[in-house]
C-alpha cells in the first residue's frame, strides 16, 4: 500500500511500520514486558505496569506477587527462555498487587534478533483473566452444588425406607416389652426412637434443600424470589400469627436464583419459628455504592444468645431441642458464599434478630 506523505511523496508500508513501531507496545491490549539475557527489565507497556509489581529484574517482578510455595522458580523458568528459547505458558497464575488479587495468563517467549535467530532476551505477555477465572469457578461451584443436591436427595431417599422399617420394629418391640411390664427396655427404645426421629428430620431437610424450584441457570428478579419464599412460608406464618412485611421494591436486579430461594425460605422459617406467639418479620432492601445489595430479615422474636453469634452458622448447631436440625443457616452461608456474598447476624437494639444477606450484584 502506498500513502502520500505531507510533501506529497509516497511512503512505503515499511516506513509506516517503522514510524509506528514505538507505539505498538504502548497500544497493545495486553501487558508486555521485554527483558534482556540477564533478566533485567528493559521495557514494559502501561498494561504490564498496571498488572504486576515491576522491579529491576523480571523474575523478581513475578516473584513479588505470586505465592512462593507454588512459584519459587521464576528465575529458572525465565533463564530457560533466554538460554534455550523455551516458550512457557501458565494459564491460571494467582497474582497479588498492592493487596489486590488477580488471575493472570502469563506467556514467556524468547526474543530473537530476526536476522540469524540469536536470542537477545525475552518477552513476557500478561493477560488479566480474573473475570473469566471467577466465572469458571462460579460455574464449577454451581455444578458441584447441583451434583451434591442430587446425591443428597438420592441418599436421603434410600435412607427413608430402612428408617421407616426400624421405627416400626421399635414401636412393636416397645408394645411387647411394656406388656411384659419391663420399664427400662421401654425407656431405651424410646431413646432409640428419638434418635431416629432426628435422623428423619435431617433427611427431610436435605430432601427439601435438594428439591430446587428454579433451575440454577435461570435469571430471576430478587423480588420474585422473595415473594415466592413468602408464599412458601405463609401457611406456617399464619398458624403462628406472624405478619410478614415487604419493604423492598419490585423490579429488583435478577440473579441466577435457584439456591437463593432456599436461603430466603430458611431465614423466613427461622423468623417464624422464633415467634411462636406471633410477631412481625420485615424484609428490607438496600444497595451500597459498590453495588452490594443488603437484604435484611428482621423479626420481633427474642433474638439469639450473642455468645452463639458464630456457632449458629455451624452445621448441626441448634437451640430448638428435638425440633431443629441446625442445618438451615449452615446451608444459607454456604450458598451465599458461592455468590461471593456473606451473611451476618445481629440482635437489634429494638429487639429481635436481624439476619443480613450481603450480595454482590455485579457477579455473573
Ligand atoms: P435450626 O433452625 O434447625 O435450629 P438453623 O441453622 O437454621 O437451624 O439455626 C441455628 C440456630 O440459630 C437456631 O437453633 C437458633 O438458635 C438460631 N436462630 C436462627 N434464626 C434465628 C432467629 N430468627 N431468631 C433467633 N435465633 C435464631
Amino acid at each position: 500500500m502506498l500513502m502520500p506523505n505531507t510533501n506529497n511523496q509516497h511512503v512505503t508500508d515499511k516506513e509506516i511500520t517503522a514510524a509506528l513501531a514505538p507505539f505498538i507496545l504502548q497500544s497493545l491490549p495486553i501487558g508486555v514486558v521485554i527483558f534482556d539475557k540477564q533478566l533485567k527489565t528493559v521495557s514494559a507497556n502501561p498494561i504490564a505496569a498496571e498488572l504486576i509489581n515491576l522491579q529491576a529484574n523480571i523474575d523478581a517482578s513475578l516473584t513479588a506477587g505470586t505465592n512462593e510455595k507454588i512459584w519459587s522458580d521464576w528465575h529458572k523458568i525465565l533463564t530457560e527462555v533466554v538460554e534455550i528459547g523455551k516458550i512457557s505458558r501458565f494459564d491460571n497464575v494467582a497474582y497479588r498487587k498492592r493487596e489486590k488479587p488477580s488471575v493472570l495468563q502469563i506467556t514467556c517467549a524468547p526474543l530473537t534478533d530476526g536476522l540469524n535467530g540469536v536470542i537477545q532476551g525475552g518477552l513476557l505477555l500478561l493477560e488479566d483473566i480474573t473475570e473469566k477465572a471467577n466465572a469458571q469457578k462460579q460455574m464449577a461451584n454451581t455444578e458441584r452444588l447441583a451434583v451434591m443436591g442430587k446425591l443428597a436427595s438420592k441418599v436421603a431417599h434410600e435412607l427413608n425406607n430402612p428408617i421407616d422399617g426400624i421405627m416400626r420394629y421399635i414401636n412393636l418391640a416397645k408394645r411387647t416389652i411394656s406388656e411384659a411390664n419391663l420399664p427400662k427396655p421401654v425407656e431405651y427404645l424410646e431413646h432409640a426412637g428419638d434418635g431416629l426421629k432426628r435422623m428423619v428430620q435431617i433427611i427431610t431437610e436435605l430432601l427439601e434443600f435438594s428439591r430446587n424450584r428454579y433451575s440454577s441457570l435461570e435469571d430471576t428478579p430478587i423480588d420474585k424470589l422473595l415473594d415466592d419464599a413468602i408464599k412458601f412460608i405463609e401457611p406456617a406464618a399464619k398458624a403462628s400469627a406472624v405478619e410478614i412485611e415487604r419493604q423492598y421494591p419490585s423490579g429488583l436486579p435478577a440473579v441466577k436464583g435457584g439456591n437463593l430461594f432456599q436461603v430466603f425460605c430458611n431465614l423466613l422459617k427461622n423468623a417464624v419459628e422464633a415467634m411462636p406467639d406471633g410477631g412481625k418479620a420485615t424484609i428490607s432492601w438496600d444497595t451500597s455504592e459498590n453495588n452490594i445489595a443488603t437484604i435484611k430479615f428482621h423479626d420481633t422474636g427474642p433474638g439469639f444468645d450473642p455468645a452463639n453469634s458464630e456457632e449458629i452458622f455451624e452445621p448441626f448447631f441448634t437451640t430448638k431441642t428435638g425440633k431443629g436440625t441446625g442445618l438451615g443457616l449452615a446451608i444459607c452461608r454456604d450458598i451465599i458464599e458461592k455468590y461471593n456474598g456473606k451473611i451476618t447476624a445481629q440482635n437489634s437494639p429494638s429487639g429481635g434478630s436481624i439476619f443480613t444477606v450481603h450480595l454482590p450484584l455485579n457477579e455473573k
Side-chain angles (χ1 to χ4, degrees), residues 205 266-267 269-274 297 299 301-305 308 311-320 323-332 347 352-355:
E205 202 142 313
N266 263 325
L267 294 178
K269 177 173 156 276
N270 276 346
V272 169
E273 284 174 358
F297 292 75
D299 62 58
F304 54 87
D305 183 345
N308 295 335
E311 278 88 344
I312 54 176
F313 291 101
E314 290 301 318
F316 302 109
F317 176 90
T318 181
T319 53
K320 302 170 190 166
K323 282 196 193 137
T325 58
L327 285 176
L329 289 179
I331 290 174
C332 286
N347 283 321
S353 55
I354 306 176
F355 285 81

Side-chain angles (χ1 to χ4, degrees), residues 144-353:
R144 191 176 63 96
L145 208 67
V147 171
M148 287 296 287
K150 267 192 202 139
L151 207 66
S153 119
K154 271 200 183 131
V155 172
H157 225 83
E158 287 304 313
L159 289 182
N160 247 347
N161 285 344
I163 285 180
D164 220 43
I166 298 172
M167 191 68 107
R168 224 169 298 141
Y169 282 117
I170 287 183
N171 286 337
L172 272 177
K174 244 165 60 183
R175 209 177 310 146
T176 320
I177 294 171
S178 65
E179 277 162 16
N181 212 6
L182 295 168
K184 269 290 161 198
V186 172
E187 192 190 317
Y188 300 151
L189 285 173
E190 248 151 31
H191 288 319
D194 286 348
L196 267 187
K197 269 188 213 145
R198 184 163 161 71
M199 283 166 76
V200 171
Q201 233 181 333
I202 292 174
I203 288 170
T204 314
E205 202 142 313
L206 280 179
L207 274 174
E208 187 51 49
F209 170 62
S210 61
R211 227 173 276 136
N212 241 335
R213 256 146 259 263
Y214 299 89
S215 135
S216 52
L217 294 176
E218 190 183 334
D219 275 325
T220 317
I222 295 176
D223 50 312
K224 166 138 181 39
L225 293 171
L226 287 168
D227 286 347
D228 284 355
I230 293 175
K231 248 184 247 155
F232 182 70
I233 231 70
E234 224 148 37
K238 276 206 179 112
S240 299
V242 170
E243 182 199 339
I244 300 177
E245 188 180 316
R246 293 169 164 87
Q247 279 186 8
Y248 55 88
S250 51
L252 291 179
V255 285
K256 301 222 178 298
N259 299 313
L260 263 194
F261 170 76
Q262 298 289 340
V263 172
F264 298 157
C265 282
N266 263 325
L267 294 178
L268 275 175
K269 177 173 156 276
N270 276 346
V272 169
E273 284 174 358
M275 302 181 283
D277 302 319
K280 189 158 142 188
T282 310
I283 309 172
S284 58
W285 162 272
D286 205 358
T287 42
S288 66
E289 277 166 20
N290 41 5
N291 218 10
I292 294 182
T294 44
I295 308 159
K296 281 193 162 75
F297 292 75
H298 184 180
D299 62 58
T300 55
F304 54 87
D305 183 345
N308 295 335
S309 62
E310 278 305 311
E311 278 88 344
I312 54 176
F313 291 101
E314 290 301 318
F316 302 109
F317 176 90
T318 181
T319 53
K320 302 170 190 166
T321 332
K323 282 196 193 137
T325 58
L327 285 176
L329 289 179
I331 290 174
C332 286
R333 186 173 61 178
D334 202 49
I335 293 174
I336 291 165
E337 281 176 358
K338 302 229 156 63
Y339 283 86
N340 287 333
K342 61 178 186 179
I343 177 167
T344 54
Q346 64 190 115
N347 283 321
S348 159
S350 61
S353 55

